[in-house]
Amino acid sequence: MKQTNFFGLVLFFASLVIISLFVASGAIQAKEPVKIGAIIPITGTSEVEGQDMSRGLQIALDEINTAGGVLGRSLEVIVEDTETRPKSGLDAVHKLIDINKVPVILGGYFSSVSLPTGNYSNSQGVVQLTWSTSPALRKVGPFFFGICGTDELMAANTVKFAIEDARAKRFGIIVDNSAYGLGVLEFSKREIKKAGGEIVAEVKYEREKADYRPELQRVFAQKPEVVVGTLIGKDARTIFKQAYELGLKPQSGWYLSWISLATAPSIPETVEGVKGLIGRLKGKAANRFNEMYQEKYGAPPQTVWGHYIYDAVWLTALAINFANSPEPKAIKDALFKVAPVYRGVSGGGDKTFNADGMQKYEVYQRMVCKNGKLVIYQK
Amino acid sequence: MVLLEIKSIYSGYGDMEILHGVSMELHHDEIVTIIGPNASGKSTLLKTIMGYLIPTKGKIRFNGADVTHLRPDEKARVGIGYVPQLENVFPPLTVTESLDMGAYTMPRHGLKERIEEIFDLFPVLRVKRKEKASALSGGQRQMLAMAQALMTGPNLLLLDEPSAGLAPNTRIDVFKKIQEIHHMGSAIIIVEQDAYQSLRISNRCYILVMGQKEHEAPADRILEDERIKKAYLGG
Amino acid sequence: MLFQQIVINALIRASELGLLAIGLTVTYDILKFANFAHVEFACIGAFLAYTMNVTLGMNIILAGLVAILVVGVLSIFIDRLVFIRLRGASSIALMVTSLGLGIALRNGVRAIWGARIKGYAIGLQNPVELIGVRITPVQIFIILTSVISMVIIHLILKRTKLGKAMRATSANPALAQACGIHTERIVRWVWFMGASLAALGGIMIGLDTHLTPRMGFSVMIPVFAISILGGLGNPYGAMVGALILGLTENIGLYTDLGKILTLNGLIGNLTGLYIPTGYKLAISFIIMIVVLLWRPSGIMGKRER
């Protein structure tokens, strides 16, 4: 009998402990952070840009959580790697939506990743904000937002830069063979034709190859005055290295869309004097971001993509607070309201969306590569 | 002196047992012919002696040592030469290269002299020394196959149907060579279906039927035995 | 652009891929299956050399030699671990196994070294001009190394006892055994030779460009195209195949088909008709398909059976 009583006592205390644990965890639950997701190219072709994105994300998160977070809770971002590939990007989004059940996903980066991931998150009623630039992204759906001006603007401005700066008439075009690159190709051609220029070579290159000499020979076969287009990441490094070794250089220079994609990972000597455009980073907000970045990581940002994800995190946080809800539908509606009043650090700072949820305005900055660093171009 | 002693071996391919307790003996100065109908286990016996097939039961002794479980390349090293019936040359190798491979287990020095000796035995190969084996005629290939197996001067030579598929006059050449080889000091086991010529140069003969030894006799006696001639030599 | 330059560019490409293809083809010759994991030996070799060269500060040539030996030994280890259980299995089973092994090795490299781009400590190479051709010292080194390696392979196969035994084992393994050749030992040597050639090719690619875990995988199609073109199992075919593929890729993209079709303006006027560059990889595929349809045994024919 005594024994039974003793066990009863133990059971009683054990249940007390368990109940109190539940209560305690309930209390924690009330303060559990609001979790959103991000898909970033941590590895693969664009790992250099990916590093800036991870850092920009961290800077925004620190700021937001120091300022009190969202809905009185802290904001947390679950980061997944896209490996710069659509398939892995889609796997990441499935995980974030199906398992983590996040209301918002940031990123995609390349249009070829943003398109399939955006289609899935839109179909699941989850908000996705990307800084990809393909015009095709417009049609993804109401839950999908772009915070960077689309390619036709960028490509047209790049060609304009080449024409104004070098009086170029004969153009070579080289692009990455992806949704983004093909967009740049199409809009560059349109702009060159409009300006009465001649296209002497048009080259699409495949990713992650060791040998781009045949492609380079083709670009330079008819001696173009300028070469426009877009080169990306590791492959840009290989292409510039091989062009350097072959002594191939356009007479009046390279003019690249999103130049930091090409120059950041490349060997400095091989990209000396390469010109191109990036989203405009001037202005008070952008300067403050650059200072914070420098202070935290001991070096200035290599690309502009830290700026874009920074704006994406802030826009999301503001929208959640404005909607007073972490529900995707409320966040989606709130985004349209907060964007016009927000002053961003990327692309000129005005992040207003048009009716498709894409950027209305984008201001580009002319840059040139000097000693391995991008500096503002002045003629 | 007994060179090879086989004590009631059982052997076959996987689960399919083909030899059911075969025993035989071979003296160091003998030529023995093994005859028997198709699928009686003659080739299986040679493959088992050479080590391509491992007997499930029984023992093989060679020169007084137990060699039952040696691999084919180890059998070659202890002095057993083997000439398979088909695919008995290296098609892409030249005649000289093939002989070089025949002497694989021997030291390199003296190789050239040995090849010359073999060319003396097989003059036709000397003419074709730079030809690939694939370019030789059927008879020349058979000569090359035997020459290759003779490079090391083996104590025992196993010949699987050496005259199969050859023209009649070439067959006579082949058996003449076998006799010459025997005179040079190798004991020989010949497996033959059409065995008249083989028996004429042999000392003794074993008859294998359904994987068992049916009969054993001196070769000349077999040639005189009308009953055996009718049953196993096609009349 | 000078024609010589295109030939040199083709030669550089052929030197790198040729080493890999010869390795693939000699292993095929003995093992009788197409080893899809072969290109990963290139990747492992390149990364091992990287560790010794950059992390441990060894001279690149010494680092390369050590890496090549290590990969050779590793391949024997893999054979003992995986493929020895499958001797005599169907070539389909072996191929699928090697496909899986390739994935495992590729991701192993990624797990150990990470996915970030890497390069050897050789600095940026400044090109020199020879007969109007621009070429860097490293590229000259690559071509020379490749040519020397091919001569060595030729001498091994034709002059040495080991090489002849390899050819004999490939042609007739049972008879090779009857000659006293321990064929399992030959198989080990073949693994060693094939894998070290792949490692050498990988290091050459790394010297010429950079290293990533997918560097082996990314040359798989051209390497297989070369081997099929030359006739699987025929190392001389692989050498010729590499040259043809290199030239086709380079000339193919550079040639104005319009000029050829109109006989340089003789009939009609058509210029600027080029193969779209996006189809470069298709060149390898087309070569493979055409050869398989037209001469399945390769342009040089298979060695007689």
Side-chain angles (χ1 to χ4, degrees), chain A residues 325-347:
Chain A
S325 154
E327 290 308 311
K329 213 173 235 154
I331 296 171
K332 171 193 75 137
D333 295 335
L335 272 170
F336 284 104
K337 305 258 167 54
V338 297
V341 291
Y342 172 72
R343 279 271 94 189
V345 300
S346 63

Side-chain angles (χ1 to χ4, degrees), chain B residues 52 87-88 97 100 104, chain C residues 161 164 167 172 174-175 177:
Chain B
Y52 291 107
E87 297 188 353
N88 50 17
E97 284 174 336
D100 189 348
Y104 186 80
Chain C
K161 193 172 156 185
K164 286 180 214 172
R167 289 162 58 214
N172 192 338
L175 188 62
Q177 280 188 299

Side-chain angles (χ1 to χ4, degrees), chain B residues 50 52 71-73 76-77 82 84 87-93 97 100-102 104-106 108 132 134 148, chain C residues 157-158 161-162 164-165 167-169 171-183 185-186 303-305:
Chain B
M50 195 58 198
Y52 291 107
R71 290 191 312 261
D73 57 293
R77 276 173 200 274
Y82 171 60
E87 297 188 353
N88 50 17
V89 293
F90 300 114
L93 268 60
E97 284 174 336
D100 189 348
M101 284 300 102
Y104 186 80
T105 57
M106 299 197 329
R108 299 272 92 183
K132 284 185 178 179
S134 54
Q148 210 169 276
Chain C
L157 287 177
K158 290 279 167 163
K161 193 172 156 185
L162 175 68
K164 286 180 214 172
R167 289 162 58 214
T169 305
N172 192 338
L175 188 62
Q177 280 188 299
C179 289
I181 298 172
H182 186 193
T183 46
R185 204 180 131 251
I186 299 297
R303 302 208 313 238
E304 300 89 319
R305 288 279 127 192

Side-chain angles (χ1 to χ4, degrees), chain A residues 20 85 124 141 229 240 268:
Chain A
S20 62
R85 291 193 294 148
Q124 299 299 306
F240 278 124

Side-chain angles (χ1 to χ4, degrees), chain C:
Chain C
M1 183 50 48
L2 284 161
F3 185 71
Q4 300 96 288
Q5 184 72 58
I6 291 170
V7 174
I8 287 294
N9 292 351
L11 211 56
I12 297 167
R13 176 89 164 147
S15 302
E16 295 163 0
L17 298 184
L19 290 170
L20 275 147
I22 293 169
L24 179 70
T25 222
V26 294
T27 41
Y28 176 88
D29 202 22
I30 298 273
L31 303 164
K32 304 287 185 254
F33 78 97
N35 180 13
F36 283 102
H38 179 75
V39 288
E40 304 307 337
F41 289 132
C43 180
I44 296 171
F47 274 91
L48 281 174
Y50 167 82
T51 297
M52 282 179 279
N53 174 233
V54 176
T55 316
L56 305 178
M58 264 160 82
N59 172 289
I60 178 67
I61 293 182
L62 188 64
L65 285 175
V66 176
I68 289 164
L69 290 179
V70 173
V71 171
V73 172
L74 175 77
S75 74
I76 295 174
F77 179 73
I78 287 174
D79 179 52
R80 309 304 281 173
L81 195 72
V82 180
F83 290 105
I84 200 160
R85 294 156 216 272
L86 296 168
R87 293 274 194 271
S90 74
S91 56
I92 299 284
L94 287 161
M95 245 162 62
V96 172
T97 306
S98 72
L99 208 59
L101 178 70
I103 295 170
L105 292 177
R106 186 153 65 246
N107 286 293
V109 167
R110 209 174 133 153
I112 295 171
W113 283 282
R116 277 172 200 280
I117 178 171
K118 293 182 177 57
Y120 295 120
I122 51 167
L124 181 67
Q125 294 289 308
N126 281 307
V128 291
E129 273 210 49
L130 294 170
I131 47 161
V133 170
R134 287 173 71 99
I135 186 165
T136 67
V138 159
Q139 289 165 348
I140 297 174
F141 174 76
I142 289 170
I143 295 174
L144 285 180
T145 307
S146 185
V147 170
I148 292 169
S149 309
M150 288 178 193
V151 171
I152 291 175
I153 296 298
H154 167 77
L155 291 178
I156 288 177
L157 287 177
K158 290 279 167 163
R159 298 285 168 82
T160 68
K161 193 172 156 185
L162 175 68
K164 286 180 214 172
M166 282 178 180
R167 289 162 58 214
T169 305
S170 145
N172 192 338
L175 188 62
Q177 280 188 299
C179 289
I181 298 172
H182 186 193
T183 46
E184 272 299 318
R185 204 180 131 251
I186 299 297
V187 166
R188 290 202 279 276
W189 274 110
V190 165
W191 272 107
F192 183 87
M193 194 161 126
S196 15
L197 277 171
L200 180 61
I203 295 168
M204 295 298 137
I205 293 175
L207 280 172
D208 191 21
T209 56
H210 55 246
L211 295 83
T212 73
R214 287 167 67 84
M215 63 188 290
F217 187 67
S218 77
V219 293
M220 184 147 99
I221 303 279
V223 166
F224 271 78
I226 290 169
S227 309
I228 291 170
L229 182 60
L232 268 169
N234 184 339
Y236 305 100
M239 294 178 196
V240 177
L243 258 183
I244 293 177
L245 185 108
L247 285 169
T248 321
E249 275 189 359
N250 282 277
I251 297 176
L253 286 193
Y254 184 70
T255 311
D256 187 345
L257 295 178
K259 280 189 182 166
I260 292 177
L261 286 177
T262 58
L263 305 173
N264 203 11
L266 268 179
I267 39 169
N269 194 6
L270 185 66
T271 52
L273 191 65
Y274 292 101
I275 299 173
T277 45
Y279 291 109
K280 192 176 86 170
L281 195 62
I283 291 175
S284 302
F285 274 115
I286 291 168
I287 287 179
M288 265 201 289
I289 292 166
V290 168
V291 171
L292 287 174
L293 286 176
W294 170 61
R295 284 194 74 164
S297 55
I299 41 160
M300 309 263 295
K302 184 140 179 60
R303 302 208 313 238
E304 300 89 319
R305 288 279 127 192

